[in-house]
């Protein structure tokens, strides 16, 4: 008999405590790792009836921005890419072809030509994620008929 963990439990144990730091200006990363078929994509995306890490984090992030007593000047931008066979594709603008990593004038590594969308709520981001997920590379494997064969990165 398998062990089933609710998305809420995973979110509270791994990610919820990062929100305050993000509001304070720190970067945060949530990384799902495991073998094919382990539930990485499911844990991050979830379902309408059981939202995953993405939607829970974004809802709490926008709520924290709204509830902040400080005079914050916040803008939230998102991008969504896939890395497959060492190639980078923009999932929100797949017609842009493969993108390259470049160093900017400040010495920071950037993805040249990436599309960034300005968003004001988690629902907009989820709509963009749904659009982007339709562009992901999928192949059948022995363990999973519709395995997402790429690494997807949501940056908000």
């Amino acid at each position: 008999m398998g062990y089933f963990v609710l998305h809420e439990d995973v979110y509270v144990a791994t990610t919820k405590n990062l929100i305050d730091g993000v509001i304070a200006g720190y970067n945060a990363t949530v990384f799902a790792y495991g073998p094919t078929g382990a539930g990485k994509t499911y844990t991050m995306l979830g379902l309408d009836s059981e939202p995953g890490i993405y939607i829970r984090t974004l809802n709490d992030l926008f709520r924290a921005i709204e509830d902040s007593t400080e005079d914050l000047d916040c803008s939230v931008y998102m991008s969504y890419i896939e890395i497959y066979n060492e190639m980078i594709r923009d999932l929100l603008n797949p017609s842009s072809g493969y993108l390259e990593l470049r160093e900017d004038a400040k010495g920071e590594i950037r993805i040249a030509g990436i599309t960034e969308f300005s968003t004001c709520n988690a629902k907009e981001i989820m709509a963009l994620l749904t659009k982007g997920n339709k562009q992901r590379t999928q192949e059948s494997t022995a363990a999973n008929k519709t395995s997402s064969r790429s690494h997807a990165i949501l940056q908000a």
Side-chain angles (χ1 to χ4, degrees), residues 80-155:
Y80 196 35
I81 62 167
E82 111 175 315
I83 302 172
Y84 179 65
N85 285 339
E86 300 181 21
M87 303 299 284
I88 302 169
R89 278 191 336 126
D90 188 333
L91 292 172
L92 300 178
N93 185 12
S95 64
S96 62
Y98 294 114
L99 306 179
E100 295 182 10
L101 291 177
R102 299 244 173 95
E103 188 173 344
D104 68 12
K106 297 178 187 174
E108 296 178 7
I109 303 299
R110 303 279 183 203
I111 300 172
I114 193 167
T115 305
E116 289 186 321
F117 284 91
S118 175
T119 62
C120 62
N121 62 54
K123 190 173 183 177
E124 285 181 358
I125 292 178
M126 286 309 295
L128 289 168
L129 278 173
T130 299
K131 175 186 173 187
N133 280 329
K134 291 177 182 171
Q135 302 300 322
R136 285 193 68 187
T137 302
Q138 293 190 349
E139 290 180 14
S140 181
T141 68
N144 187 344
K145 259 179 26 181
T146 57
S147 179
S148 50
R149 302 306 301 152
S150 64
H151 303 283
I153 300 171
L154 164 68
Q155 184 171 330

Side-chain angles (χ1 to χ4, degrees), residues 69-84:
T69 57
E70 298 175 24
D71 188 20
L72 292 177
D73 181 19
C74 284
S75 298
V76 177
Y77 294 89
M78 75 157 290
S79 60
Y80 196 35
I81 62 167
E82 111 175 315
I83 302 172
Y84 179 65

